[in-house]
């Protein structure tokens, strides 16, 4: 099983200044991300790894980069293909922009958090989720609350196979 896990704003924005657009203002999404990815292999680009700053626990961490990270507890792969070969568990591609663009044709499932806000500072984007390629199979709406500054939907898309 190969999936992408991503959070996007209303314009498919995912990041700016090597950080998330909503920074730490959506803890429910971090919990959702942890729940989906725990026990799996997570594949990420070098910049996303630097942004997270440490290997994430209870997951096999694989960083794609032309150079080894040298960080204990992290595997490095020179290409996405070798990252897939190294992975031992269900595979979750977790960004960022460059890696999503390369991986979207390889995965069968997209776990997308749709943040109901536009962030004008966005400089990194997720590819368009094409309606002739992806079918929405689940959507769970959440209003903003005391802890989560923006409304958001947890959405699952599956690749159309017929
Ligand atoms: N909203 C979300 O869900 C989400 C999730 C993750 C990240 N983000 C955001 O996305 C932004 C980072 O994305 P980004 O596009 O700038 O960087 P990125 O995709 O995280 O990392 C790019 C780097 O990864 C390596 N790389 C990428 N594709 C590769 C491939 N096919 N083969 C080998 N190496 C490859 C290269 O590293 P080397 O230069 O070392 O060779 C490249 O410079 C940040 O703002 C971050 O916060 C958002």
């Amino acid at each position: 099983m190969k999936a992408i896990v991503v959070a996007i704003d209303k314009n498919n924005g995912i990041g700016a200044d090597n950080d998330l657009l909503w920074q730490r203002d959506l803890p429910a999404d971090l919990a959702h991300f942890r729940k989906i990815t725990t026990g799996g292999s997570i594949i990420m680009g070098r910049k996303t790894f630097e942004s997270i700053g440490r290997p994430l626990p209870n997951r096999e961490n694989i960083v794609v980069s032309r150079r080894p990270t040298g960080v204990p507890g992290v595997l490095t792969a020179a290409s996405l293909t070798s990252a897939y070969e190294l992975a031992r568990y269900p595979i979750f591609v977790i960004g960022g922009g460059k890696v999503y663009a390369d991986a979207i044709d390889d995965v069968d499932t997209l776990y997308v958090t749709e943040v109901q806000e536009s962030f004008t500072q966005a400089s990194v984007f997720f590819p368009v989720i094409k309606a002739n390629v992806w079918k929405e199979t689940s959507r769970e709406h959440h209003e903003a609350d005391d802890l989560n500054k923006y409304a958001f939907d947890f959405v699952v898309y599956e690749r159309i196979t017929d």
Side-chain angles (χ1 to χ4, degrees):
M1 186 276 230
K2 277 198 206 101
I4 274 176
V5 188
V6 65
I8 62 178
D9 83 346
K10 287 172 106 172
N11 310 305
N12 279 27
I14 63 164
D17 301 325
N18 219 16
D19 200 354
L20 299 173
L21 297 166
W22 37 88
Q23 299 170 322
R24 308 297 156 249
D25 288 335
L26 282 176
D29 185 50
L30 296 182
H32 180 69
F33 174 86
R34 189 183 323 113
K35 189 171 156 197
I36 292 170
T37 58
T38 291
S41 296
I42 49 174
I43 296 176
M44 71 204 93
R46 192 253 310 160
K47 292 184 186 172
T48 292
F49 177 66
E50 286 175 358
S51 161
I52 297 171
R54 65 189 165 97
L56 293 176
N58 307 315
R59 281 149 281 194
E60 180 178 55
N61 288 246
I62 304 174
V63 174
V64 286
S65 172
R66 290 158 289 188
R67 292 182 300 148
T69 61
V71 178
V74 172
L75 300 171
T76 311
S79 67
L80 267 177
T81 308
S82 24
Y84 299 147
E85 283 167 8
L86 277 177
R88 285 173 300 163
Y89 305 105
I91 293 174
F92 300 102
V93 177
I94 63 159
K98 168 78 171 78
V99 170
Y100 286 141
D102 291 345
I104 193 164
D105 291 335
D106 303 333
V107 302
D108 4 86
T109 306
L110 308 177
Y111 294 98
V112 184
T113 300
E114 297 183 358
V115 181
Q116 304 303 337
E117 189 76 24
S118 297
F119 294 84
T120 52
Q121 75 273 30
S123 59
V124 186
F125 294 85
F126 192 74
V128 171
I129 300 170
K130 293 180 184 157
N132 61 337
V133 178
W134 298 101
K135 170 180 66 191
E136 181 180 313
T137 56
S138 144
R139 175 176 294 267
E140 192 182 295
H141 179 72
H142 296 263
E143 289 298 330
D145 58 27
D146 289 348
L147 290 175
N148 297 281
K149 195 168 169 186
Y150 311 103
F152 56 92
D153 290 25
F154 292 140
V155 189
V156 181
Y157 294 93
E158 303 284 349
R159 181 180 294 283
I160 297 166
T161 48
D162 37 289

